[in-house]
Amino acid sequence: GGGYLDPDTVVCPRSYEIAQVGAGAVADAVQRVVGGKAQQAFCLIRPPGHHALADTAMGFCLLNNVAVGARLAIDELGLDRVLIVDWDVHHGNGTQDVFYADPNVLYVSFHEWPLYPGTGRHDEVGSGPGEGTTLNVPLPAGATGEHYLAALDRVVAPVVAAFDPHWVLVSAGFDAHRADPLTGLALSAGDYPLITERVLALAPPGRAVVFLEGGYDLDALRDSVAATLPVLVGERPGRVAEAPTSGGPGGRMVEVVEEDED
Ligand code: ZN
């Protein structure tokens, strides 16, 4: 009959059916792209998924779409070494939790810190056989596209190269946009094509499937998705609504890099 599953997560009578359709779209996209029947997919689905735990809805999310996609790719399509990149402004605690001890999935998350749901410290790195296959990049409020690109080049790329992924699945939230009403990062629509180019380059060409996560300013969401789509099909971005961003707080990521180098 609907109601609140937690203080953030409200459902209507059809929400579960809609969540199943979204997760089903993910499964369909992964099967088609991995199976060579399609070259690229961007699943424009709601609700988002990356906060959902294996058995619990959380934070607007009912079913963890990207986890469904990764699990399907590994268990039924025979892939190993799947990279998940999550550039939603929130930490994907559900995705991290599902694969925390799994050495076949490298989970990389960029997120504002501190922010909901409170997980995603840089020292959360995985456990047991999955130790080293979780990489968190917490960023302070005000961080810009320049920070995302620097983190991709200096922190993420070396770890991903060592993991040598066969495929990349992307949790593409657009709530790090400066207009987003829920969050404090300072990206523009023009940052997302640059981030997308770098993320696609982390896996062999043509081996990416992208899923929509958050994004709560509808104009920013429209402009950001429109700026991202051409890159996914191998084109340079067309007319992008906003220029890429730079500047903002600079100290924190440098500290993390230096700790890792020690
Ligand atoms: Zn989010």
Side-chain angles (χ1 to χ4, degrees), residues 44-72:
L44 291 166
I45 51 176
R46 281 286 187 259
H50 72 155
H51 296 307
L53 301 164
D55 59 358
T56 310
M58 182 175 164
F60 311 160
C61 302
L62 301 184
L63 302 174
N64 193 316
N65 301 310
V66 72
V68 168
R71 189 49 74 205
L72 174 75

Side-chain angles (χ1 to χ4, degrees), residues 98-111:
V98 168
F99 299 111
Y100 205 57
D102 189 335
N104 294 313
V105 176
L106 172 58
Y107 176 66
V108 177
S109 177
F110 298 85
H111 45 273

Side-chain angles (χ1 to χ4, degrees), residues 50 88-90 175 214 216:
H50 72 155
D88 186 281
V89 75
H90 300 96
D175 43 8
Y216 306 102

Side-chain angles (χ1 to χ4, degrees), residues 22-232:
V26 167
D28 186 44
V30 168
Q31 283 176 321
R32 288 200 210 192
V33 177
V34 173
K37 293 179 178 155
Q39 290 184 306
Q40 187 54 263
F42 190 150
C43 297
L44 291 166
I45 51 176
R46 281 286 187 259
H50 72 155
H51 296 307
L53 301 164
D55 59 358
T56 310
M58 182 175 164
F60 311 160
C61 302
L62 301 184
L63 302 174
N64 193 316
N65 301 310
V66 72
V68 168
R71 189 49 74 205
L72 174 75
I74 291 168
D75 291 351
E76 297 190 23
L77 302 177
L79 300 188
D80 57 3
R81 300 205 307 279
V82 172
L83 168 66
I84 297 174
V85 175
D86 184 335
W87 73 52
D88 186 281
V89 75
H90 300 96
H91 179 240
N93 61 292
T95 312
Q96 172 172 299
D97 189 69
V98 168
F99 299 111
Y100 205 57
D102 189 335
N104 294 313
V105 176
L106 172 58
Y107 176 66
V108 177
S109 177
F110 298 85
H111 45 273
E112 183 179 344
W113 177 273
L115 191 69
Y116 181 90
T119 51
R121 289 175 49 91
H122 77 271
D123 57 2
E124 295 170 19
V125 296
S127 65
E131 187 172 0
T133 60
T134 295
L135 176 59
N136 284 302
V137 183
L139 296 164
T144 60
E146 182 180 20
H147 293 85
Y148 270 65
L149 300 183
L152 274 162
D153 291 342
R154 294 168 57 188
V155 180
V156 174
V159 174
V160 172
F163 181 74
D164 189 23
H166 290 164
W167 282 80
V168 58
L169 306 182
V170 183
S171 271
F174 295 94
D175 43 8
H177 193 284
R178 59 195 175 196
D180 196 277
L182 303 186
T183 64
L185 293 197
L187 273 62
S188 72
D191 292 314
Y192 288 105
L194 306 178
I195 294 168
T196 304
E197 282 179 330
R198 278 176 168 75
V199 168
L200 295 185
L202 296 172
R207 294 190 177 181
V209 187
V210 184
F211 316 110
L212 185 64
E213 296 281 359
Y216 306 102
D217 180 277
L218 295 184
D219 291 339
L221 179 61
R222 177 200 61 210
D223 292 344
S224 298
V225 171
T228 301
L229 285 171
V231 180
L232 296 179

